[in-house]
Amino acid sequence: MANNENQDLRIRSHVISEGENRAPNRAMLRAVGFKDEDFKKPMIGVASTWSEVTPCNVHIDELAIKAKEAVRQAGGAPMIFNTITVSDGISMGTEGMNYSLVSREVIADSIETVVGAERMDGFVAIGGCDKNMPGCMIAIGRSEVPAVFVYGGTIQPGRLDGKNIDIVSAFEGVGKYNKGMINEDELHEIECQACPGPGSCGGMYTANTMASAIEAMGMSLPGSSSHPATNEYKRDDCERAGQAVMNLLRKGIYPKDIMTKEAFENAITVVMALGGSTNAILHLLAIAHAVDVDLSLDDFERIRERTPHIADLKPSGQYVMQHLFEVGGVPAVMKELLDQGLLHEDCLTVTGQTLKENLQQANSLKEGQEVIRSFDEPLKTTGPLVILRGNLAPEGAVAKMSGLKVKKITGPARVFDSEEEATEAVLNDQINPGDVLVIRYEGPKGGPGMPEMLSISAILVGKGLGEKVGLLTDGRFSGGTHGLVVGHVAPEAQVGGPIGLLQEGDTITIDSETQELKVDVSDEDLEQRRRAWTAPGLKYHKGVLYKYAKTVSSASKGAVTD
């Protein structure tokens, strides 16, 4: 499409804004503020995930207004619409966690629905908490109109006794309290100081991981993934996004032009270098599915092998996203990766320029900074997100092996069919060093919704068992989880996967070096157990969790519902 000021940018909305028979349609829009001149402009949505249910999103109403103003100034006819969010941190360890991953699909479906129904010509999507971002990106992929993503930004670190703390400090504090290492008043003080204001969880947890991945993919503006929520740069991100979506419309650049296989490989490279969340694998698979890009677990493994882990970021490191921002942000890291030949430089981005062109304008890492290691002295020579396979995970499983001294464990299976039962056993000191704790029937169908298990993994760390006990599940882990943990085991127990055939005391091996996940049971014995196994009924029989369980795919495919 030619780029000129006189072109008609109403690629979809012309069906509403033209013709006498659409007078009733336009009458409705006049009631929300449209005037004659607005019907000659493209209709641009601003998908806001504002909500007061989580600090990640509590400020996004103001950001949406900034984006709307910028769209209007750039020649569009903007309108804000909302979608939901849930808070993983608040629902963690409760039945509410079943709704977390499900919310990704609800968010994607709702944005796609509004953009499609209202015949919008493009949109800006603003997300904050973990599932907002992939939800927005799945919708962007499906909607097939020009779009830009904006991250609501990271929270400031909390401070206690002269040290930085965050939400994971509170989860691990529960384990310390249970072990008698801190008292009730000390736990309460951690609770009160961990989250000082708006923004998403501060370490390289899932929100900051996905924000970084989306920027690396070219779908958000340079620098925006590391700008803190309360920083003036964040408002500027929204203004620039409003201008950018209009520029994309004029140039005829669509999401599929940007989200290519090479762009996903750039995203995976950045996730590996930063030591990102295991959830990135699940979400990037789902986003790739939305734009018909063939992405598999093998791609993650291939890129992991050539990408060093260079970021000393929580949960396994020292620093948080705020510190990365202060030393140059994600663009500075990408600049280093590009210099090493680890990124595809010709990928198109939402600026209308290539990745290389964007990074030529980026600042380098600050001299003397300690957040990002040199390539000569990485934290790990390969990426920390490891795909494991074996007779316990024929389709694969995911482990995060950053900051761990112990790389493997062989021990007796301690088998539980729910997180609640397993947590009670840990708190009652029934789990011993050397055990492999198995939590099953928590997968996409069995959970349903693959609940995250930050609560129990943090309690293990707090009790000093983080590297002494293996933790294995067909559910997920939070980006804040660290320790000897393996998730996304596929096939899941609910569909007859081998994890559902385990018995108490079976000898399990988790080995990140050989990338094996196996049980010391013969194929013949496993087959005999399989014949005797019967699938339990679904845990829900109506509503969104039932619909999700009936339609969701394996975690190895991204747990998609379409």
Side-chain angles (χ1 to χ4, degrees):
M1 185 185 290
N3 182 13
N4 65 74
E5 293 302 316
N6 297 319
Q7 69 190 104
D8 189 348
L9 301 178
R10 299 172 300 169
I11 58 175
R12 286 187 176 177
S13 65
H14 64 85
V15 300
I16 291 172
S17 52
E18 291 291 325
E20 287 76 10
N21 63 329
R22 296 303 183 207
N25 309 61
R26 293 191 293 274
M28 297 285 286
L29 287 167
R30 291 179 190 278
V32 298
F34 272 55
K35 297 181 171 52
D36 284 345
E37 59 268 24
D38 293 315
F39 294 111
K40 300 299 181 185
K41 302 172 183 176
M43 286 172 54
I44 305 296
V46 178
S48 169
T49 58
W50 171 79
S51 175
E52 291 182 337
V53 304
T54 172
C56 312
N57 296 63
V58 72
H59 61 304
I60 285 176
D61 54 341
E62 299 173 12
L63 300 182
I65 290 169
K66 288 287 184 185
K68 178 181 176 179
E69 291 169 351
V71 168
R72 188 176 298 284
Q73 290 171 5
M79 52 181 65
I80 296 173
F81 65 94
N82 284 82
T83 185
I84 62 133
T85 184
V86 300
S87 171
D88 289 1
I90 295 172
S91 63
M92 197 74 68
T94 75
E95 187 178 356
M97 195 67 218
N98 292 103
Y99 291 88
S100 171
L101 186 59
V102 176
S103 77
R104 183 188 77 180
E105 309 310 306
V106 175
I107 292 163
D109 291 351
S110 62
I111 294 175
E112 178 192 353
T113 298
V114 175
V115 171
E118 303 305 312
R119 310 316 297 152
M120 289 177 176
D121 303 302
F123 65 102
V124 174
I126 310 174
C129 202
D130 295 14
K131 307 312 172 295
N132 301 164
M133 283 170 275
C136 288
M137 292 303 300
I138 291 168
I140 284 172
R142 291 184 194 156
S143 297
E144 297 186 340
V145 295
V148 179
F149 177 78
V150 181
Y151 175 40
T154 186
I155 197 171
Q156 301 275 346
R159 296 286 290 176
L160 182 63
D161 300 329
K163 296 179 181 179
N164 290 328
I165 64 169
D166 59 17
I167 187 62
V168 177
S169 307
F171 279 106
E172 292 178 1
V174 174
K176 292 179 179 178
Y177 173 74
N178 178 258
K179 195 175 181 182
M181 296 169 64
I182 60 175
N183 61 35
E184 187 176 349
D185 290 341
E186 289 171 311
L187 179 61
H188 183 257
E189 193 62 23
I190 295 171
E191 173 189 329
C192 292
Q193 303 301 325
C195 298
S200 301
C201 298
M204 191 46 62
Y205 310 146
T206 303
N208 283 324
T209 297
M210 289 310 301
S212 303
I214 293 166
E215 180 176 331
M217 201 187 303
M219 284 304 300
S220 62
L221 292 163
S224 60
S225 66
S226 35
H227 292 157
T230 55
N231 191 287
E232 190 57 40
Y233 283 117
K234 187 50 60 185
R235 290 163 183 78
D236 182 59
D237 291 339
C238 294
E239 292 175 4
R240 290 190 299 138
Q243 298 161 2
V245 72
M246 291 297 294
N247 183 49
L248 292 173
L249 200 51
R250 291 188 178 96
K251 291 188 172 184
I253 298 173
Y254 289 75
K256 283 189 177 181
D257 298 323
I258 298 172
M259 288 194 280
T260 61
K261 179 68 175 278
E262 291 74 20
F264 279 95
E265 291 183 350
N266 285 344
I268 296 168
T269 299
V270 169
V271 168
M272 292 292 180
L274 294 177
S277 166
T278 53
N279 282 315
I281 295 177
L282 195 73
H283 296 325
L284 288 171
L285 287 169
I287 297 166
H289 177 78
V291 289
D292 301 318
V293 166
D294 183 16
L295 195 68
S296 72
L297 292 178
D298 292 336
D299 293 307
F300 287 87
E301 186 57 31
R302 171 173 54 84
I303 294 167
R304 181 192 74 82
E305 290 176 349
R306 64 173 174 80
T307 308
H309 178 199
I310 55 174
D312 190 8
L313 294 167
K314 287 179 178 288
S316 54
Q318 302 180 62
Y319 300 102
V320 296
M321 195 64 151
Q322 169 81 21
H323 299 125
L324 179 57
F325 161 68
E326 290 167 355
V327 302
V330 170
V333 177
M334 290 176 63
K335 201 168 187 177
E336 296 282 327
L337 293 168
L338 184 65
D339 288 345
Q340 295 290 320
L342 294 173
L343 296 177
H344 300 286
E345 61 182 33
D346 295 328
C347 288
L348 193 60
T349 74
V350 290
T351 65
Q353 297 182 302
T354 65
L355 183 79
K356 182 179 180 180
E357 289 170 329
N358 288 345
L359 293 179
Q360 284 173 341
Q361 304 167 46
N363 293 325
S364 299
L365 287 168
K366 280 190 177 179
E367 199 73 33
Q369 62 81 34
E370 297 180 346
V371 181
I372 303 297
R373 297 281 191 91
S374 72
F375 286 90
D376 294 331
E377 297 182 43
L379 291 161
K380 192 173 183 291
T381 56
T382 56
L385 301 185
V386 181
I387 306 301
L388 306 179
R389 284 189 167 91
N391 67 350
L392 262 182
E395 292 180 12
V398 181
K400 184 173 181 179
M401 295 295 174
S402 57
L404 290 177
K405 295 177 181 151
V406 178
K407 307 295 183 185
K408 59 185 177 181
I409 186 172
T410 296
R414 305 297 309 280
V415 182
F416 298 89
D417 289 347
S418 73
E419 182 186 2
E420 293 78 12
E421 292 173 340
T423 300
E424 185 177 350
V426 172
L427 290 174
N428 290 334
D429 298 322
Q430 295 170 358
I431 304 300
N432 303 308
D435 287 346
V436 178
L437 186 58
V438 177
I439 306 176
R440 62 189 182 185
Y441 294 103
E442 298 284 14
K445 290 182 180 293
M450 284 187 86
E452 290 181 350
M453 298 184 192
L454 173 59
S455 183
I456 187 168
S457 65
I459 290 170
L460 286 169
V461 171
K463 289 173 72 70
L465 295 173
E467 294 194 40
K468 297 176 182 177
V469 168
L471 178 51
L472 177 68
T473 182
D474 50 7
R476 297 182 296 128
F477 292 106
S478 163
T481 293
H482 59 114
L484 200 55
V485 300
V486 180
H488 306 203
V489 174
E492 62 173 297
Q494 185 69 35
V495 300
I499 189 174
L501 308 178
L502 288 174
Q503 295 176 1
E504 185 80 7
D506 284 344
T507 300
I508 292 175
T509 296
I510 301 169
D511 192 329
S512 67
E513 295 175 327
T514 62
Q515 296 178 241
E516 287 181 291
L517 179 60
K518 62 185 182 181
V519 58
D520 190 16
V521 176
S522 69
D523 292 344
E524 292 76 17
D525 285 346
L526 279 177
E527 182 57 36
Q528 188 174 354
R529 292 182 189 184
R530 184 175 286 109
R531 287 195 296 268
W533 175 85
T534 303
L538 294 176
K539 294 174 185 173
Y540 296 85
H541 304 288
K542 61 181 179 180
V544 67
L545 294 180
Y546 174 73
K547 288 187 286 186
Y548 182 87
K550 293 289 284 186
T551 58
V552 69
S553 74
S554 168
S556 65
K557 303 293 184 184
V560 297
T561 55
D562 64 342

